[in-house]
């Protein structure tokens, strides 16, 4: 009686046995496979560590650059504040003396911008007394001098904005507050307004 295919396959599998030499060879193949896998993992481990190290270095460089940038910005702000504070304390004679802004600003023919009344000066309760030419970081500027009822002098410096020298200063039209620095007993406020760099120096109270 002929067996069907299914019965034949079952009989073959049931009667299938490996000899001792075949078992030994099979075990050897299994060990070699595991060894190769272990060696492969060992080779991958240095690569993984190198990748992690590279990632840490990139993060470290990024944080280092960010910190240096912040320190650099603070240094630039202080340098500007020190310069305008020095010019405020070492008062030079006014080149134009008048209490009307239009008359004073009309004097500055060499400027490539129009000096403006700043919103930060409106509440100082001071009166304009005149102005003169000066500079900020080598950029030509206008110096507007003011006096309050007690005779205290405040000075507003204005110059055209350029990103190379002034990109770290806040634009108050974007809702930011002026940077305030104290130098030589003076309060120096620095900001950008209407495309101009402005620095207000007054006595620290």
């Amino acid at each position: 009686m002929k067996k069907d295919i299914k019965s034949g396959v079952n009989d073959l599998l049931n009667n299938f046995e490996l000899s001792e030499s075949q078992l030994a060879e099979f075990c050897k193949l299994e060990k070699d496979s595991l060894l190769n896998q272990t060696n492969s993992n060992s080779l991958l481990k240095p690569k993984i560590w190198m990748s992690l190290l590279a990632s840490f270095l990139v993060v470290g460089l990024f944080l280092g650059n960010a910190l240096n940038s912040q320190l650099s910005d603070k240094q630039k702000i202080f340098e500007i504040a020190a310069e305008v504070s020095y010019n405020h304390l070492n008062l030079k004679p006014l080149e134009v003396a008048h209490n009307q802004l239009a008359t004073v600003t009309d004097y500055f023919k060499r400027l490539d911008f129009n000096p403006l009344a700043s919103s930060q000066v409106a509440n100082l309760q001071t009166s304009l007394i005149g102005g003169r030419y000066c500079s900020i970081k080598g950029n030509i500027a206008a110096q507007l001098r003011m006096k309050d009822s007690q005779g205290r002098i405040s000075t507003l410096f204005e110059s055209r904005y350029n990103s190379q020298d002034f990109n770290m200063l806040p634009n108050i039209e974007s809702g930011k507050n002026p940077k305030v620095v104290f130098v030589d007993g003076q309060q120096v406020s620095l900001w950008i307004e209407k495309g101009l760099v402005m620095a207000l120096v007054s006595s620290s109270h």
Side-chain angles (χ1 to χ4, degrees):
M1 183 177 179
K2 292 184 178 180
K3 296 181 180 180
D4 59 20
I5 296 177
K6 182 177 181 180
S7 298
V9 171
N10 288 334
D11 290 343
L12 179 62
L13 292 175
N14 289 331
N15 296 324
F16 180 78
E17 291 183 359
L18 291 175
S19 65
E20 291 184 3
S21 61
Q22 288 174 324
L23 283 171
E25 185 67 23
F26 181 79
C27 289
K28 182 177 182 301
L29 289 172
E30 184 179 19
K31 289 180 179 179
D32 290 343
S33 177
L34 290 174
L35 182 61
N36 290 334
Q37 185 176 1
T38 302
N39 290 337
S40 177
N41 289 337
S42 298
L43 290 173
L44 285 174
K45 285 180 180 179
K47 293 182 179 179
I48 293 173
W49 282 111
M50 289 298 291
S51 297
L52 289 173
L53 179 60
S55 298
F56 283 125
L57 286 174
V58 170
V59 172
L61 288 173
F62 176 79
L63 293 176
N65 289 335
L67 181 60
N68 288 335
S69 177
Q70 289 182 353
L71 292 175
S72 179
D73 286 349
K74 288 183 179 180
Q75 182 179 359
K76 290 178 181 178
I77 288 172
F78 182 82
E79 288 175 354
I80 295 171
E83 180 180 0
V84 295
S85 175
Y86 176 84
N87 289 331
H88 168 81
L89 291 173
N90 293 272
L91 293 177
K92 294 183 179 180
L94 293 171
E95 296 172 1
V96 54
H98 207 279
N99 60 3
Q100 294 295 320
L101 181 62
T103 301
V104 174
T105 57
D106 189 58
Y107 165 78
F108 296 106
K109 304 294 187 184
R110 288 159 42 200
L111 298 178
D112 57 354
F113 63 91
N114 294 319
L116 303 171
S118 172
S119 60
Q120 299 297 306
V121 179
N123 297 325
L124 289 182
Q125 298 180 344
T126 57
S127 299
L128 181 66
I129 59 176
R132 61 173 289 113
Y133 283 105
C134 64
S135 65
I136 304 176
K137 300 294 291 181
N139 300 282
I140 190 169
Q143 180 185 128
L144 304 178
R145 198 171 298 170
M146 299 163 289
K147 182 185 293 186
D148 65 12
S149 58
Q150 299 181 31
R152 292 175 298 196
I153 300 294
S154 298
T155 309
L156 177 65
F157 298 83
E158 298 186 13
S159 184
R160 175 184 286 278
Y161 172 81
N162 72 71
S163 59
Q164 181 177 354
D165 294 322
F166 307 116
N167 66 326
M168 80 299 298
L169 298 181
N171 190 329
I172 63 172
E173 294 172 306
S174 299
K176 298 179 181 179
N177 295 319
K179 290 287 185 181
V180 178
V181 183
F182 293 91
V183 184
D184 302 325
Q186 308 298 306
Q187 177 177 305
V188 182
S189 300
L190 302 165
W191 70 94
I192 299 166
E193 183 178 1
K194 299 177 181 177
L196 298 179
V197 174
M198 299 196 180
L200 176 64
V201 186
S202 56
S203 298
S204 178
H205 302 299

